[in-house]
Amino acid sequence: MSDLVDPHPQTHVYETEEPVRYEVDGAVAHIVMNRPTYHNAQNNQMTYALDDAFRRAVDDDAIRAIVLRGEGKHFSAGHDIGTPGRDLGASWDRRHLVADHVNKPAAELLYTREHEVYLGMCRRWRDISKPTIAAVQGACIAGGLMLAWVCDLIVATDDAFFQDPVGRMGIPGVEYFAHGFELPPRVAKEFILLGERMPAARAYNFGMVNRLSTRDTLLADVKAIADELAGRDRLGNWLTKQALNHVEDLRGKRTAMDAVFHMHHFAHAQSNLVNTNNLGGMDAKSMAAANKQQAEKP
């Protein structure tokens, strides 16, 4: 979900200098989100660290496959809208052909930032020339979906769940809008309109998840797949990714995502005009309470 505008942009306090760990296991790189205290909520610090880690894995010819995973109880609770490290107002010098957002007024600030760190980065990660696997445990919510969806394969534990609750904010889904490609259209509508948790088993039935695992076996199951991919022909893996990504784009994935990104930011602008913030008047505390209440329904 998108960030609440920070009235004190310079007051963020990072709980760690290492929001992402980079580990190597043979020919496989493990990129590990490392904010377990906040369920791997994604601030700028983490997002740019992820970008650096993916680039490091791509640049190393000895690496033949990449695993993305999250430290702790959950894969990712989504975009950071409520921790001390929420750093919407921070400027970063590693941008990719996008202007800095911090000196932009009103809706232009969010539009500029999210074009870079959400839509732009996710598209780059999707097109990485090496096969990628998301190892998902626990919550994969909103912005967490984007990180899992850009990977070629998803392995999820039996207690994992997927959720995009940003409809409560008046927003039509997260910025990397792959919903209608990951799920059948009517199911995607349910997923966004109701914002309910989708258990991993149901996601598996729709083909959004490739393999089901357990917390005890997740790393071993992912290792087996990653090692198999790492042993395959490097160019063959890349060409296979390109071929199937091209099929998705021919079906309209990129153009649909462009259109919905603009709808997303129209929703933010509308919220700023009629609510107390650009998230439909919601904040981290109210969103967490609403999600908990919904999860407790029979």
Side-chain angles (χ1 to χ4, degrees):
M1 65 190 78
S2 300
D3 297 281
L4 179 69
V5 170
D6 189 346
H8 306 291
Q10 303 306 319
T11 60
H12 54 266
V13 178
Y14 296 134
E15 80 285 356
T16 177
E17 295 182 358
E18 191 182 35
V20 173
R21 293 201 317 272
Y22 186 91
E23 302 171 354
V24 174
D25 179 17
V28 179
H30 285 248
I31 297 172
V32 187
M33 293 178 282
N34 189 36
R35 298 188 73 203
T37 302
Y38 300 110
H39 307 314
N40 298 316
Q42 304 151 34
N43 56 5
N44 276 359
Q45 181 204 32
M46 172 182 279
T47 306
Y48 278 95
L50 284 171
D51 201 46
D52 290 343
F54 278 121
R55 181 173 295 279
R56 179 178 175 182
V58 169
D59 287 345
D60 187 348
D61 276 345
I63 297 300
R64 306 292 290 268
I66 302 167
V67 173
L68 175 65
R69 56 190 178 91
E71 184 66 43
K73 185 177 180 180
H74 298 293
F75 177 74
S76 177
H79 296 150
D80 186 347
I81 63 171
T83 83
R86 180 168 54 109
D87 54 2
L88 174 65
S91 180
W92 296 84
D93 60 5
R94 301 194 300 278
R95 297 184 306 277
H96 295 259
L97 300 178
V98 176
D100 201 351
H101 68 284
V102 296
N103 63 343
K104 303 299 185 294
E108 186 179 3
L109 182 150
L110 277 184
Y111 180 88
T112 302
R113 177 179 179 272
E114 294 186 1
H115 206 290
E116 159 77 354
V117 299
Y118 298 158
L119 186 61
M121 284 192 185
C122 283
R123 281 177 165 169
R124 288 198 299 278
W125 300 340
R126 177 220 185 199
D127 291 335
I128 282 172
S129 59
K130 302 177 182 183
T132 55
I133 307 166
V136 177
Q137 82 282 7
C140 182
I141 300 174
L145 295 169
M146 296 163 47
L147 299 182
W149 283 346
V150 299
C151 293
D152 301 306
L153 303 176
I154 298 176
V155 180
T157 59
D158 50 12
D159 68 343
F161 65 89
F162 302 84
Q163 184 180 20
D164 191 353
V166 301
R168 295 195 189 100
M169 302 172 174
I171 299 170
V174 289
E175 296 84 353
Y176 184 82
F177 193 83
H179 306 62
F181 293 85
E182 297 288 344
L183 295 166
R186 200 172 303 280
V187 177
K189 289 180 181 178
E190 172 194 349
F191 190 62
I192 300 172
L193 289 171
L194 297 181
E196 296 172 342
R197 296 182 176 186
M198 178 178 288
R202 190 176 186 217
Y204 173 80
N205 289 336
F206 290 125
M208 194 174 90
V209 168
N210 295 94
R211 305 277 177 88
L212 293 175
S213 184
T214 68
R215 286 192 179 254
D216 290 337
T217 62
L218 179 63
L219 291 182
D221 291 342
V222 169
K223 176 178 172 57
I225 297 170
D227 287 346
E228 176 66 24
L229 291 171
R232 299 294 182 94
D233 181 77
R234 178 174 57 205
L235 180 59
N237 281 340
W238 185 18
L239 292 174
T240 299
K241 287 190 61 165
Q242 289 185 72
L244 290 168
N245 285 354
H246 182 58
V247 169
E248 284 191 310
D249 288 341
L250 286 173
R251 291 174 176 168
K253 186 174 187 176
R254 186 178 183 89
T255 53
M257 202 172 287
D258 283 339
V260 178
F261 184 75
H262 289 88
M263 296 177 198
H264 182 101
H265 282 277
F266 174 70
H268 277 320
Q270 172 74 355
S271 287
N272 270 328
L273 290 170
V274 301
N275 292 294
T276 57
N277 60 45
N278 53 35
L279 300 182
M282 304 290 283
D283 58 19
K285 184 177 181 180
S286 60
M287 282 296 292
N291 285 341
K292 181 179 179 181
Q293 183 179 30
Q294 187 176 60
E296 291 173 348
K297 291 180 180 178

